[in-house]
Amino acid sequence: MAANMYRVGDYVYFENSSSNPYLIRRIEELNKTANGNVEAKVVCLFRRRDISGNLNTLADSNARDFEEESKQPPITEQQKHQLKHRELFLSRQFESLPATHIRGKCNVTLLNETDVLTSYLEREDCFFYSLVFDPVQKTLLADQGEIRVGSKYQAEVPDKLSEGETDNRVQEKLETKVWDPDNQLKDSQIDQFLVVARAVGTFARALDCSSSIRQPSLHMSAAAASRDITLFHAMDTLQKNGYDLAKAMSTLVPQGGPVLCRDEMEEWSASEAMLFEEALEKYGKDFNDIRQDFLPWKSLASVVQFYYMWKTTDRYIQQKRLKAAEADSKLKQVYIPTYTKPNPNQIMAPGNKPGMNGAAGFQKGLCCESCHTAQSPQWYAWGPPNMQCRLCASCWIYWKKYGGLKTPTQLEGATRTGSDAAPRGHMTRQEVQGMSPFTSSAGRAKLLAKNRQTFILQTTKLTRIARRVCQDILQSRRAARRPYASINANAVKAECMIRLPKASKNAMKNRPIPRPSLVNIVKELAVQAPLKLKAPRGAPTPINRNQASQPRSAPALLGKRLCDSGSSVGGHPFSTNGRLFMSSMRTTSQSVIKRQRVSQGDAPNPVVFVATKETRALRKHLSQAEMRRAARKPNIPVRVKIPLPPRPLPVPILPSSTNEPIVLED
């Protein structure tokens, strides 16, 4: 119950994506919205993966300096890699997030010279920070709130003097005396002198024009003259004049007029005080930022003195009461139940038995990408989808909490394509083509010019086995008729791994597919290459001009390139489906319209063949199964069995001169 209770000031994990690591935030406020939900106003903390490469280099330099100054024990490369996951960067950025996205608590502390870095690796959910990140300016600065702990910050305590031993040190060099309690004046004489000093201060404010504007009444001037600055000036005057009242009186009122002593409370104007209150509301007691952003014409000592004097005024008490009333109306804590919904990146259901290779069909060796284990009760998909990598249960929790893998891998660094680029899980087509060793510079320019690229999907052996074993789930024929419908390949492969031990008892019948040699394929392609024949003048070209008005998305849906109509083998022309032209077949004879100019990438195939009456008559001799088979495999010729008509009997032709009857014999 206490673990799920979150209060103001706690460092917590927030989940904004099922595949990305958690966000680490500090709760500043808990507000209840109009619809009853709870929102948390939080301070943002950033990881190393959230900043640019240049700032990472600066952070590495700061880490090396810290190790040298604090004399850290030697650590391994893996420990250095994991320490980068524990380092955070504080910021001044605030944001509001739903409280239901909280996934747990963590501990974030300011790095100190007395800390041992390896101690953070030994504790779970423990982070540290030493630099402040500005998301707007993209800068890293040292935190000014450093606690000075260490041997070099400690005072040197001298040895204690024994009884009767005198202190031979020169006291004037060690300290300055501002008041001597063993003076010749009585307490009543000192009090009378302080009253005279206040009266002189009130008279001096009446003579000063600027003070008369700020304190227009006598009561306000007397109250200002009774502040500590007037008393300190009176006591310093007595000390400097050797506690002689006559000399001290003449010092208070010289020949030029009475001395006016004003503190920071009187020196600051009302507008400057308003700026200070606004800055204090934004930055808190960070006086360096208050002076830099709001009051650059004031010194740091002046800002600090004004703060402590401002705390003695009624204005501070009034604001403190208002903040206390607001704090009472706001939520102080909120209870968030444990998040139990399954992660969409799960590969195998948690109820299944743990075993080897829980996710079948993966191309990365069927093991965890971080710890390289092959057995886990639960597997999670990780990284770019085209890489098909996965993590075990423990490494997935480490990835979500710390934003990295336990061991450095090439794929973890491949998610960042540039030094200043944010991490992502995919690469563009141009980047993939640039990485391909088979793409030349000349061919790459042609590929980039076209907006549709040719690609090939090659299945693995385990995927082909899954098609046979899980036919009831996959239904490959139905999936082939609906290529737009998505298939949960991970579920099919996981079910295949469960069924494989049962199916291995019966020998699976695999039909060997005879494949021709590469030499024969090259020869056949060379023979079937289209010939570029020059068309004679005046001859109509077999181009469907009406096709230019058709939508361009139709060829893109087919995704196949047809052969030219000029292809031929041995003098016999071939159609686009690989069959021989018949004498009765003709090309399209549509009405001619104005031809539109299209780009090379979007240009559809300009050849269309229309079946004639003879072709339709031949189709009637095919069964429905043969028609479907021919439609699925247009490159295979179809054999049509046409029944021959009955042969007519021979009739002899006789000369016309004979009148005898004709007798037909069987």
Side-chain angles (χ1 to χ4, degrees):
M1 182 73 177
N4 296 336
M5 192 68 70
Y6 302 94
R7 299 175 177 85
V8 175
D10 290 345
Y11 290 91
V12 295
Y13 295 115
F14 272 91
E15 185 175 22
N16 65 340
S17 175
S18 59
S19 57
N20 292 337
Y22 293 140
L23 304 176
I24 298 179
R25 299 290 186 263
R26 185 182 67 201
I27 301 177
E28 291 293 317
E29 295 179 3
L30 292 171
N31 303 319
K32 196 170 184 179
T33 60
N35 54 3
N37 298 329
V38 178
E39 285 190 353
K41 182 182 178 182
V42 296
V43 178
C44 299
L45 289 94
F46 295 89
R47 304 178 190 265
R48 276 179 170 263
R49 68 193 306 272
D50 301 326
I51 64 177
S52 63
N54 296 332
L55 296 182
N56 271 287
T57 305
L58 183 61
D60 292 337
S61 177
N62 180 74
R64 287 192 296 268
D65 296 341
F66 175 80
E67 292 178 3
E68 294 176 0
E69 293 177 0
S70 59
K71 298 179 180 180
Q72 294 288 328
I75 56 178
T76 62
E77 291 296 329
Q78 185 174 359
Q79 289 177 335
K80 289 182 179 180
H81 172 74
Q82 294 181 1
L83 278 174
K84 293 182 179 180
H85 302 156
R86 302 299 183 100
E87 184 178 8
L88 301 177
F89 302 99
L90 187 65
S91 72
R92 307 291 183 189
Q93 181 177 341
F94 291 86
E95 63 181 3
S96 296
L97 297 173
T100 54
H101 290 185
I102 297 178
R103 296 294 180 263
K105 294 182 182 180
C106 59
N107 184 22
V108 181
T109 57
L110 178 64
L111 184 61
N112 203 296
E113 292 185 359
T114 59
D115 294 341
V116 181
L117 293 176
T118 54
S119 63
Y120 289 94
L121 300 178
E122 298 171 357
R123 292 174 289 175
E124 291 291 334
D125 304 323
C126 191
F127 300 87
F128 65 88
Y129 75 93
S130 60
L131 300 176
V132 179
F133 173 62
D134 189 352
V136 179
Q137 302 294 334
K138 305 295 183 183
T139 56
L140 277 179
L141 300 175
D143 186 29
Q144 299 297 331
E146 181 182 1
I147 302 175
R148 296 185 175 182
V149 178
S151 58
K152 63 181 181 180
Y153 299 114
Q154 303 301 320
E156 296 180 2
V157 181
D159 297 335
K160 184 179 179 181
L161 297 176
S162 59
E163 295 183 0
E165 185 180 359
T166 59
D167 190 1
N168 298 325
R169 297 178 299 175
V170 182
Q171 299 296 329
E172 288 76 8
K173 294 183 179 180
L174 297 178
E175 56 188 3
T176 302
K177 183 183 288 188
V178 296
W179 182 258
D180 187 7
D182 300 329
N183 55 69
Q184 66 273 19
L185 297 178
K186 298 180 181 179
D187 293 342
S188 59
Q189 292 176 329
I190 296 175
D191 293 339
Q192 291 176 357
F193 182 79
L194 294 179
V195 171
V196 172
R198 294 192 192 99
V200 172
T202 305
F203 179 65
R205 283 169 175 80
L207 296 178
D208 185 54
C209 298
S210 61
S211 299
S212 62
I213 296 174
R214 296 177 184 177
Q215 294 97 15
S217 64
L218 179 62
H219 296 285
M220 295 179 65
S221 298
S226 301
R227 299 183 64 83
D228 293 340
I229 188 66
T230 305
L231 302 180
F232 292 158
H233 175 65
M235 299 176 73
D236 290 342
T237 304
L238 285 176
Q239 173 69 20
K240 291 178 181 178
N241 291 278
Y243 299 95
D244 189 351
L245 292 178
K247 292 182 180 179
M249 287 287 185
S250 61
T251 305
L252 284 178
V253 187
Q255 294 181 358
V259 177
L260 177 59
C261 299
R262 290 188 296 191
D263 54 9
E264 297 296 335
M265 206 66 188
E266 293 184 74
E267 290 288 347
W268 286 44
S269 63
S271 59
E272 290 174 342
M274 295 294 292
L275 283 175
F276 176 80
E277 292 179 358
E278 182 182 351
L280 193 67
E281 183 71 21
K282 181 178 181 180
Y283 293 125
K285 292 190 294 184
D286 196 340
F287 300 116
N288 287 304
D289 291 345
I290 291 175
R291 175 182 174 272
Q292 182 178 358
D293 296 343
F294 285 85
L295 300 165
W297 58 89
K298 296 289 185 181
S299 63
L300 185 60
S302 176
V303 174
V304 175
Q305 289 179 11
F306 180 81
Y307 169 72
Y308 286 103
M309 292 179 183
W310 174 78
K311 290 184 68 175
T312 62
T313 61
D314 296 336
R315 178 73 175 174
Y316 169 76
I317 297 174
Q318 183 181 1
Q319 288 193 2
K320 191 174 181 181
R321 289 176 180 174
L322 290 175
K323 288 184 178 180
E326 291 179 0
D328 292 339
S329 62
K330 292 181 180 179
L331 297 176
K332 297 180 178 59
Q333 60 185 6
V334 62
Y335 175 78
I336 305 297
T338 305
Y339 188 78
T340 57
K341 292 184 179 180
N343 194 294
N345 293 277
Q346 291 181 0
I347 298 177
M348 188 173 62
N352 292 347
K353 297 181 180 179
M356 304 293 289
N357 305 331
F362 275 55
Q363 301 178 1
K364 296 296 293 182
L366 300 176
C367 62
C368 178
E369 193 68 25
S370 177
C371 61
H372 307 291
T373 182
Q375 186 172 1
S376 175
Q378 181 62 61
W379 294 101
Y380 296 87
W382 177 82
N386 59 329
M387 299 298 294
Q388 294 187 348
C389 302
R390 64 177 187 170
L391 295 178
C392 62
S394 61
C395 293
W396 177 257
I397 296 175
Y398 186 92
W399 158 257
K400 294 290 287 185
K401 287 185 176 181
Y402 306 114
L405 301 183
K406 296 180 181 179
T407 56
T409 59
Q410 183 179 2
L411 184 60
E412 186 183 10
T415 58
R416 186 185 299 271
T417 58
S419 60
D420 297 336
R424 56 182 179 169
H426 68 280
M427 290 186 293
T428 60
R429 185 171 56 218
Q430 287 80 4
E431 293 171 347
V432 175
Q433 292 169 358
M435 295 172 59
S436 175
F438 304 102
T439 308
S440 61
S441 59
R444 192 180 299 119
K446 295 180 181 180
L447 288 175
L448 294 178
K450 298 189 68 175
N451 58 357
R452 290 199 304 267
Q453 301 299 331
T454 305
F455 64 94
I456 182 172
L457 300 176
Q458 186 175 4
T459 58
T460 61
K461 186 179 295 184
L462 194 54
T463 305
R464 293 195 293 268
I465 295 175
R467 293 175 182 173
R468 301 286 299 276
V469 175
C470 304
Q471 290 183 1
D472 55 337
I473 300 177
L474 182 58
Q475 298 180 358
S476 57
R477 290 190 176 183
R478 185 178 181 183
R481 298 190 192 103
R482 300 190 304 170
Y484 53 86
S486 60
I487 300 175
N488 191 353
N490 295 333
V492 174
K493 293 172 183 176
E495 184 67 22
C496 176
M497 294 304 301
I498 298 174
R499 297 184 182 183
L500 269 181
K502 301 178 182 179
S504 60
K505 298 178 181 179
N506 301 326
M508 190 177 299
K509 297 180 180 180
N510 293 328
R511 294 181 298 174
I513 302 176
R515 300 183 182 275
S517 62
L518 182 61
V519 178
N520 297 335
I521 295 175
V522 172
K523 289 181 179 180
E524 186 177 355
L525 291 176
V527 172
Q528 296 181 0
L531 301 177
K532 297 182 180 180
L533 300 178
K534 185 175 181 181
R537 292 184 179 180
T541 57
I543 297 177
N544 182 9
R545 302 183 183 274
N546 195 22
Q547 193 175 359
S549 62
Q550 297 178 358
R552 299 180 182 179
S553 60
L557 291 175
L558 295 177
K560 296 177 180 291
R561 297 180 58 190
L562 302 179
C563 301
D564 295 338
S565 58
S567 303
S568 62
V569 178
H572 300 282
F574 273 83
S575 64
T576 55
N577 57 0
R579 303 175 189 174
L580 287 170
F581 272 113
M582 301 191 63
S583 60
S584 59
M585 294 181 67
R586 60 181 177 87
T587 59
T588 180
S589 59
Q590 302 291 341
S591 61
V592 178
I593 63 173
K594 187 176 180 180
R595 187 173 184 180
Q596 297 181 0
R597 183 175 298 178
V598 294
S599 62
Q600 181 182 2
D602 294 335
N605 198 319
V607 181
V608 174
F609 297 92
V610 180
T612 60
K613 294 182 179 180
E614 291 80 0
T615 307
R616 296 192 187 96
L618 292 176
R619 290 177 181 172
K620 295 181 180 180
H621 298 285
L622 297 176
S623 62
Q624 189 176 6
E626 292 175 343
M627 288 287 290
R628 290 181 178 178
R629 192 181 300 111
R632 296 192 193 102
K633 300 179 180 180
N635 58 320
I636 300 177
V638 180
R639 297 180 181 180
V640 183
K641 297 180 180 180
I642 303 175
L644 297 176
R647 290 180 60 185
L649 296 176
V651 179
I653 300 175
L654 300 177
S656 58
S657 57
T658 59
N659 296 325
E660 296 179 0
I662 299 174
V663 180
L664 298 178
E665 297 179 357
D666 292 336

